[in-house]
Amino acid sequence: MTYTEMVSSEGIIRNQQKTLSMMEFGPDEKPIAIQLFGANPEVMRQAAQIAVEKYGPDVIDINFGCPVKKVVNKNGGAAVLKDMDLTRDIIEATVEGAAGIPVTIKMRTGWDDANPVYIQAGQIAQKAGAGAITLHARSRAGAFSGRADWSAIKNLKDSVDIAVIGNGDINTPEDARRMFDETGCDAVMIGRAAMKNPLIFKHINHYLNTGEKLPEPTTKDKIELALEHARLMAEYYGEERGIKMMRRYLGWYVTGFHNATILRPKLFQVNTLANIEAIFREHLLR
Ligand SMILES: Cc1cc2nc3c(=O)[nH]c(=O)nc-3n(C[C@H](O)[C@H](O)[C@H](O)COP(=O)(O)O)c2cc1C
């Protein structure tokens, strides 16, 4: 299952084209959740309704986890976790707007480590009609530092009846297995590891199903994948915009390459598909 990145509910109801385009997806991305963020229940209700009617996702997910200033300063993302009444109102309104399409939430453990609210928020979500909860086992203050505290995922799983999706620091198939074993969660979600290696889903599924690991992708495999990704970006967004957007993903793809620190600054300046191909060709010849 895939998720869109978070989409502004305010942008949706104002019919902003850039915002709306973030909800587009292809048939090969299904099942898919469109993730919304916002701090106003009525706006979230309308946005969910528009998202469902216009784009036909399988799930509407609500972001209660984003730590980014631009979002929390408007009381969206993880900031909502400071106000449990607002959390409930947002979920109830979104469930109403989604009109039968399942609504799920994604949250952190709380605003800061001193005030974990995930158990309370999870129970509120269940009562308000959410179908599942993803927990990124860090507080907003924890940003992306330290290790995610998987015991929080177990605590949440023990406290609600709806499905719990565990998230945070899964980098290998063994990590996924361990997350299931240690927390009893119903599913796992992968974030950053997919940016470095989009094949991780295939590798995790294979390992969970057979207990055996697929061979690690080679540098050449990763380059082929990065080039395919770049071609698709150029096709969808046009070469000029698509390749500019691709720069940051190229930075993730080369994680672990020898000379990654030399490659990255070059890849961050590419403008065309041919630029990318030339840089990788040179790298492979070294
Ligand atoms: C560049 C970047 C963008 C992200 N955007 C979103 C987002 O739009 N919505 C969301 O719920 N989480 C977002 N996240 C958080 C991830 O979904 C995930 O919760 C977090 O990275 C921890 O999981 P991981 O250790 O598997 O990466 C983002 C993370 C990164 C690094």
Side-chain angles (χ1 to χ4, degrees):
M1 174 172 184
T2 60
Y3 286 67
T4 66
E5 67 183 295
M6 56 179 190
V7 187
S8 159
S9 54
E10 301 277 352
I12 294 173
I13 70 157
R14 295 205 184 100
N15 207 24
Q16 286 169 359
Q17 291 311 307
K18 201 170 157 215
T19 304
L20 295 176
S21 72
M22 291 164 77
M23 295 192 283
E24 289 172 4
F25 54 82
D28 54 347
E29 291 176 281
K30 279 178 93 66
I32 188 166
I34 289 181
Q35 189 187 63
L36 305 178
F37 75 94
N40 180 325
E42 175 52 23
V43 173
M44 286 292 279
R45 188 186 67 73
Q46 290 177 32
Q49 192 179 350
I50 294 167
V52 166
E53 284 173 3
K54 262 191 141 163
Y55 298 93
D58 302 280
V59 167
I60 293 289
D61 189 51
I62 308 173
N63 183 310
F64 291 139
C66 183
V68 175
K69 275 209 183 100
K70 204 171 92 181
V71 172
V72 294
N73 284 352
K74 289 188 194 151
N75 295 325
V80 180
L81 295 175
K82 289 194 279 191
D83 182 341
M84 285 297 120
D85 289 337
L86 181 61
T87 302
R88 184 200 53 229
D89 292 349
I90 288 177
I91 300 168
E92 281 179 357
T94 309
V95 167
E96 211 180 290
I101 297 291
V103 171
T104 58
I105 69 164
K106 169 135 183 284
M107 64 175 169
R108 286 179 176 248
T109 53
W111 178 253
D112 52 34
D113 290 320
N115 300 294
V117 294
Y118 61 95
I119 300 281
Q120 200 188 350
Q123 289 171 346
I124 285 171
Q126 173 168 307
K127 219 166 147 204
I133 305 163
T134 304
L135 182 60
H136 175 193
R138 283 188 177 88
S139 68
R140 186 279 321 179
F144 289 97
S145 65
R147 272 175 69 104
D149 173 16
W150 289 5
S151 68
I153 297 168
K154 178 170 175 9
N155 291 343
L156 179 64
K157 176 65 192 168
D158 292 342
S159 311
V160 295
D161 299 320
I162 56 179
V164 170
I165 304 170
N167 171 239
D169 296 348
I170 296 178
N171 286 302
T172 63
E174 289 95 329
D175 289 341
R177 175 78 270 159
R178 205 162 48 78
M179 169 84 86
F180 279 114
D181 292 345
E182 285 181 15
T183 70
C185 64
D186 301 280
V188 297
M189 179 188 283
I190 318 290
R192 288 165 296 175
M195 315 267 281
K196 291 176 223 159
N197 173 19
L199 296 175
I200 190 162
F201 302 101
K202 183 172 153 191
H203 285 238
I204 289 178
N205 279 332
H206 187 83
Y207 182 70
L208 293 178
N209 290 332
T210 67
E212 281 169 17
K213 287 187 71 180
L214 290 170
E216 289 295 317
T218 62
T219 299
K220 201 158 167 266
D221 294 337
K222 287 192 182 176
I223 288 178
E224 270 167 26
L225 208 61
L227 286 172
E228 188 187 340
H229 188 168
R231 274 181 218 116
L232 290 167
M233 292 287 275
E235 198 179 294
Y236 188 78
Y237 293 106
E239 185 165 14
E240 193 182 341
R241 182 156 168 236
I243 298 302
K244 268 208 183 97
M245 288 170 76
M246 187 67 204
R247 290 174 179 171
R248 61 194 285 247
Y249 300 104
L250 293 168
W252 289 86
Y253 273 107
V254 299
T255 304
F257 282 25
H258 79 274
N259 287 342
T261 45
I262 298 172
L263 268 179
R264 253 189 216 112
K266 289 187 194 166
L267 290 167
F268 286 154
Q269 293 179 42
V270 292
N271 289 309
T272 63
L273 262 175
N275 289 159
I276 303 174
E277 282 164 1
I279 291 168
F280 280 141
R281 206 176 309 120
E282 192 194 327
H283 178 77
L284 283 176
L285 289 176
R286 273 173 190 243

